[in-house]
Amino acid sequence: ETYSDTQPQAKRPNPRRRGRSQVARDMVVHDDALPTGKPTPGFTIKLKPQGGGCLHYINVCSDGAVGMPLDAKDQPVTEEHLDTRGIDNLRVPLVVGPARSVTMGGGTSEALVSDVVFCQPVLRIAMLSPDEDELATGDPRARRAAAHARFMRSRLVELAIKNVEDELGGAKLGRDFILPRGTLEGGANYKGGVGDRRATPVPMLDLKRLQQMQAAQRRHEELAAAPGPWRSNRAKVGMDNRPAPKVEEVGEPRGGGAPAIQKGFFNNAKVSLYPNGSSEGMHPEGAGDPLGWMPKGLRNRVGVVDTRTTTVQEQREAIEAHAGKAGSAGDKFSPEVREILADPAMKETLGRISSDAAAAQKAMADPAVERKLRKLVEAGVLQPKGADGKAGSA
């Protein structure tokens, strides 16, 4: 019931092996399947006990979430490369599951079981076993395929044992092994599983995470390839063959009356859509004006002190002169205006904003200061230009 990897190919049993194409179909993972973390069974390595230890089984499995082997440029190789050259000089991705203890022989013995998962094309080649009739005919292609499968199987065995040893903290499992005969469909085998036959693979957390990452990447690529700014997948909602909306004539308005749009109005030469030209893309009104941030009505009644021709002292004197005139006017101004003019903080603000447009903008951001400045402008305290020819400013 068992055979060694060093036995001749002709002496190996061939239980329900149905050829290369059928094994490949057995290993297909559908894209719509939810991530379960369960690999696809391949073959099993039975390691003999070392130094009085227990049996150790290694299930060599496959899954579509595991990447292809990488070449020296860290680029995944093609299946044709694997079929002709194998995995020599390649870095082979794999996933190793934690070792678990299982009972064997009806509970009379105990063994350790580990799962090692490779990519599907690699295990497909290792599982290939041509029929004995094909080998008997002397077909050179069948012989080359059988030799290639044996070599691939031996390489996977070595990789699986080495990585399981690393997972166990450097324990030595030895290299005395046999490959038990496959009892599952397609000649596959699996030990220490679940289910009635204990042949259903055990879910692996790392593999499930890898499957989820692959599914998320696939959804992202589908979303990126979807048409339209809404980035929806039209095929999944049945809109891939939906015809584009047609341009239709405007029907009669409900309730009678003239239609809002007259048919053929674009062809009417007597009516111009833009008599004065379109302002689309033009600068708005007041663009570049230092006082453009102010309301238009207030902006037309105030000016900016020319700091290039006046000193700070002259600007302050002009503002105080306006304030003095307002104070000597007696009842000319309301009590609220007189209170504003008498406020030392307001005087300082008026002196500061008269020479600094940025300070004026900052002062106008304060609702209380803006209200007082408006009161001064309405009362005539702040004028576009002073009597001495110097400009006053809020």
Side-chain angles (χ1 to χ4, degrees), residues 10 28 35 78-79 96 109 134 161 168 184 201 208 213 226 249 271 282 297 304 345 351 367 384 393:
V28 171
T78 62
E79 292 192 31
V96 181
S109 60
E134 296 177 356
I161 295 177
L168 295 175
L184 302 178
K208 184 175 182 179
M213 292 174 57
E249 294 185 2
V271 180
M282 304 298 293
V304 179
S393 174

Side-chain angles (χ1 to χ4, degrees), residues 29 33-40 61-63 65 95 97-98 100 115 117 190 200-212:
V29 176
L34 295 176
T36 61
K38 296 181 179 180
T40 301
C61 308
S62 69
D63 191 83
V95 178
R100 60 186 183 274
D115 294 342
V117 186
Y190 191 89
T200 302
V202 176
M204 301 171 59
L205 181 59
D206 291 342
L207 181 61
K208 184 175 182 179
R209 291 172 179 171
L210 196 61
Q211 293 172 347
Q212 291 172 340

Side-chain angles (χ1 to χ4, degrees), residues 274 276-284:
Y274 302 101
N276 300 323
S278 174
S279 60
E280 188 74 22
M282 304 298 293
H283 293 292

Side-chain angles (χ1 to χ4, degrees), residues 58 157-167 171 173 175:
I58 300 177
V157 168
E158 179 61 29
L159 286 174
I161 295 177
K162 181 180 181 301
N163 283 272
V164 170
E165 289 176 341
D166 295 340
E167 181 70 18
L173 301 180
R175 297 300 183 269

Side-chain angles (χ1 to χ4, degrees), residues 207-277:
L207 181 61
K208 184 175 182 179
R209 291 172 179 171
L210 196 61
Q211 293 172 347
Q212 291 172 340
M213 292 174 57
Q214 186 186 59
Q217 178 65 21
R218 184 167 55 250
R219 289 193 299 268
H220 176 75
E221 293 175 354
E222 293 176 356
L223 190 63
W230 48 88
R231 317 301 290 174
S232 63
N233 196 323
R234 298 171 63 89
K236 287 189 175 181
V237 296
M239 297 180 63
D240 51 341
N241 296 323
R242 183 177 179 179
K246 299 179 180 179
V247 178
E248 300 179 356
E249 294 185 2
V250 179
E252 295 294 333
R254 295 181 181 180
I261 301 177
Q262 297 293 336
K263 181 178 179 181
F265 77 99
F266 280 115
N267 300 326
N268 190 352
K270 298 180 180 180
V271 180
S272 177
L273 292 179
Y274 302 101
N276 300 323

